[in-house]
């Protein structure tokens, strides 16, 4: 029984997901949570197994989001597949933007630290309001 439980989604998480769709006053029995837990875990194993088989045939070791969408489509879950494709597109777009923002932020921080750490040299202005520039030594 212990090994079987390790293969299932956590029942508390399943219960939280179930509660989101129900009215606040609704109650969910332990048996209902466990039934959904088993069904959802089996579904995930089924789809992941199909995606894993595809990866093995292609001599790859890593299952990715595209493999999951392919598996959903090949198993007849076209609606789920299309939803996952849309989700993956949005997720990848978000990650790309987050990466660009992080790169810009680190570049700005690097630039700021170089400006702050660079030696400043003040020169008096001549009567024309100009300064002569000499390279700091």
């Amino acid at each position: 029984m212990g090994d079987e439980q390790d293969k299932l989604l956590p029942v508390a998480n399943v219960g939280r997901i179930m509660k989101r769709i129900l009215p606040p006053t609704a109650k969910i029995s332990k048996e209902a949570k466990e039934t959904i837990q088993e069904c959802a875990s089996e579904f995930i194993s089924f789809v992941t197994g199909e995606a894993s088989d595809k990866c093995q045939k292609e001599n790859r070791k890593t299952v990715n989001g595209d493999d999951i969408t392919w598996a959903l489509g090949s198993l007849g879950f076209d609606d789920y597949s299309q939803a996952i494709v849309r989700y993956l597109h949005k997720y990848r777009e978000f990650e790309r933007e987050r990466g660009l923002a992080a790169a810009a932020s680190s570049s700005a921080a690097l630039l700021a630290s170089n400006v702050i750490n660079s030696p400043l040299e003040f020169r008096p202005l001549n009567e024309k309001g100009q300064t002569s520039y000499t390279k700091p030594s």
Side-chain angles (χ1 to χ4, degrees):
M1 181 73 179
D3 288 341
E4 187 178 318
Q5 283 295 96
D6 290 341
K7 296 177 184 178
L8 299 176
L9 296 169
V11 74
N13 294 357
V14 172
R16 271 195 296 279
I17 293 168
M18 291 172 74
K19 284 182 183 182
R20 285 184 190 167
I21 196 72
L22 297 172
T25 56
K27 304 265 189 233
I28 306 169
S29 71
K30 182 178 178 183
E31 181 185 12
K33 290 177 191 175
E34 289 172 353
T35 300
I36 294 297
Q37 175 192 36
E38 290 176 26
C39 291
S41 299
E42 184 64 29
F43 178 75
I44 290 169
S45 294
F46 182 54
V47 173
T48 304
E50 186 75 9
S52 179
D53 290 347
K54 176 183 187 270
C55 289
Q56 274 187 322
K57 289 175 187 170
E58 296 175 359
N59 293 321
R60 293 187 295 119
K61 294 183 179 184
T62 304
V63 174
N64 62 38
D66 295 322
D67 298 320
I68 297 297
T69 58
W70 175 86
L72 286 165
S74 74
L75 293 169
F77 298 104
D78 295 324
D79 291 342
Y80 292 123
S81 178
Q82 291 168 10
I84 294 291
V85 166
R86 286 191 302 272
Y87 171 81
L88 273 174
H89 177 74
K90 287 179 182 179
Y91 174 78
R92 288 172 178 160
E93 187 177 302
F94 172 78
E95 285 296 309
R96 185 175 52 253
E97 288 173 4
R98 190 171 80 165
L100 291 173
S105 175
S106 67
S107 293
L110 181 61
L111 179 62
S113 70
N114 285 341
V115 169
I116 291 170
N117 293 329
S118 66
L120 296 178
E121 192 171 325
F122 295 97
R123 302 258 179 205
L125 297 175
N126 61 22
E127 53 274 344
K128 293 181 183 176
Q130 300 170 336
T131 183
S132 60
Y133 176 76
T134 58
K135 193 173 187 178
S137 49

